[in-house]
Amino acid sequence: GQNIDQPTEMTATEGAIVQINCTYQTSGFNGLFWYQQHAGEAPTFLSYNVLDGLEEKGRFSSFLSRSKGYSYLLLKELQMKDSASYLCAVSYGQAGTALIFGKGTTLSVSS
Amino acid sequence: IAGITQAPTSQILAAGRRMTLRCTQDMRHNAMYWYRQDLGLGLRLIHYSNTAGTTGKGEVPDGYSVSRANTDDFPLTLASAVPSQTSVYFCASSDSGLYGYTFGSGTRLTVV
């Protein structure tokens, strides 16, 4: 079956760096996505990795190792507004371009 | 309209009633999806459509049906609602799947 694991909750302080890990086991792999979701809102796209390595986008970076079925999202210079759920998702091809999501990691940033 | 519009925003529905959740996009995306999001379970795919005229089943399709008569619209129907279908429903669309999905703002459905 398809499975995506990520920690349920994490806490950090303003200005710090936090790494959210994601491991996956899927039948096929087309790419890995990270989404941010604030409470009561829709998920919004953060990053996409299809090849191994690090993708950097401002304060956010995402890493992928396909051989290990592993990804992480790195958030630098944390701000209070980064308090949200972070969703790891994999496109594995059996359902076209549909994604299977992990259960999400709730990040709480305190001052 | 800009992006994806879902309606209604929220609904309280009596068990056994039929309900259609509406989803319309104006981005001419080929693929559209319906997910439900439940506390502790995350987002789960109900049905998807890779292009107008085709649909497919996701992880949790039972009790739901969809149609894709044209590119823009992708309604989700609950034929006879049950309390376990209480959830937040998100519609999403993508062009090639390579640059992320656009989600609607969601429909909060309560079946009593």
Side-chain angles (χ1 to χ4, degrees):
Chain A
Q2 324 299 333
N3 191 53
I4 298 178
D5 287 317
Q6 50 182 130
T8 303
E9 294 179 334
M10 298 184 72
T11 59
T13 54
E14 266 189 309
I17 299 173
V18 71
Q19 178 175 312
I20 302 174
N21 296 323
C22 171
T23 58
Y24 63 91
Q25 301 93 37
T26 56
S27 55
F29 179 84
N30 292 334
L32 188 139
F33 294 79
W34 284 95
Y35 283 82
Q36 181 190 59
Q37 185 177 26
H38 285 100
E41 298 182 8
T44 56
F45 171 77
L46 284 179
S47 69
Y48 171 64
N49 293 72
V50 63
L51 299 176
D52 290 353
L54 189 68
E55 294 281 342
E56 296 188 78
K57 262 189 184 182
R59 294 190 299 115
F60 292 4
S61 303
S62 56
F63 171 83
L64 175 67
S65 168
R66 288 172 298 169
S67 63
K68 295 181 180 177
Y70 168 68
S71 173
Y72 68 72
L73 180 69
L74 193 70
L75 293 76
K76 304 175 188 175
E77 302 169 15
L78 280 172
Q79 302 173 11
M80 298 292 285
K81 67 179 182 179
D82 297 329
S83 293
S85 286
Y86 291 86
L87 314 178
C88 175
V90 172
S91 173
Y92 65 98
Q94 281 189 299
T97 55
L99 300 179
I100 180 169
F101 283 83
K103 295 177 182 177
T105 299
T106 299
L107 174 66
S108 299
V109 180
S110 58
S111 57
Chain B
I1 300 177
I4 294 183
T5 301
Q6 289 187 236
T9 304
S10 65
Q11 180 78 44
I12 298 174
L13 185 69
R17 296 295 296 269
R18 181 184 180 89
M19 173 78 188
T20 295
L21 308 185
R22 300 184 299 278
C23 176
T24 299
Q25 54 110 352
D26 64 353
M27 299 171 286
R28 308 302 293 173
H29 283 172
N30 286 324
M32 297 186 74
Y33 319 89
W34 275 105
Y35 288 86
R36 59 177 290 175
Q37 188 172 36
D38 304 287
L39 196 63
L41 296 178
L43 282 160
R44 292 180 292 166
L45 181 67
I46 305 170
H47 285 287
Y48 65 93
S49 169
N50 289 328
T51 189
T54 69
T55 62
K57 294 181 180 180
E59 304 168 66
V60 288
D62 294 343
Y64 306 95
S65 63
V66 292
S67 61
R68 187 87 184 277
N70 56 62
T71 298
D72 298 343
D73 300 300
F74 191 43
L76 176 73
T77 298
L78 290 67
S80 178
V82 294
S84 62
Q85 292 178 310
T86 293
S87 186
V88 179
Y89 291 86
F90 286 103
C91 179
S93 73
S94 72
D95 189 3
S96 63
L98 297 178
Y99 302 106
Y101 294 19
T102 301
F103 281 85
S105 56
T107 294
R108 183 173 296 275
L109 179 67
T110 303
V111 182
V112 297

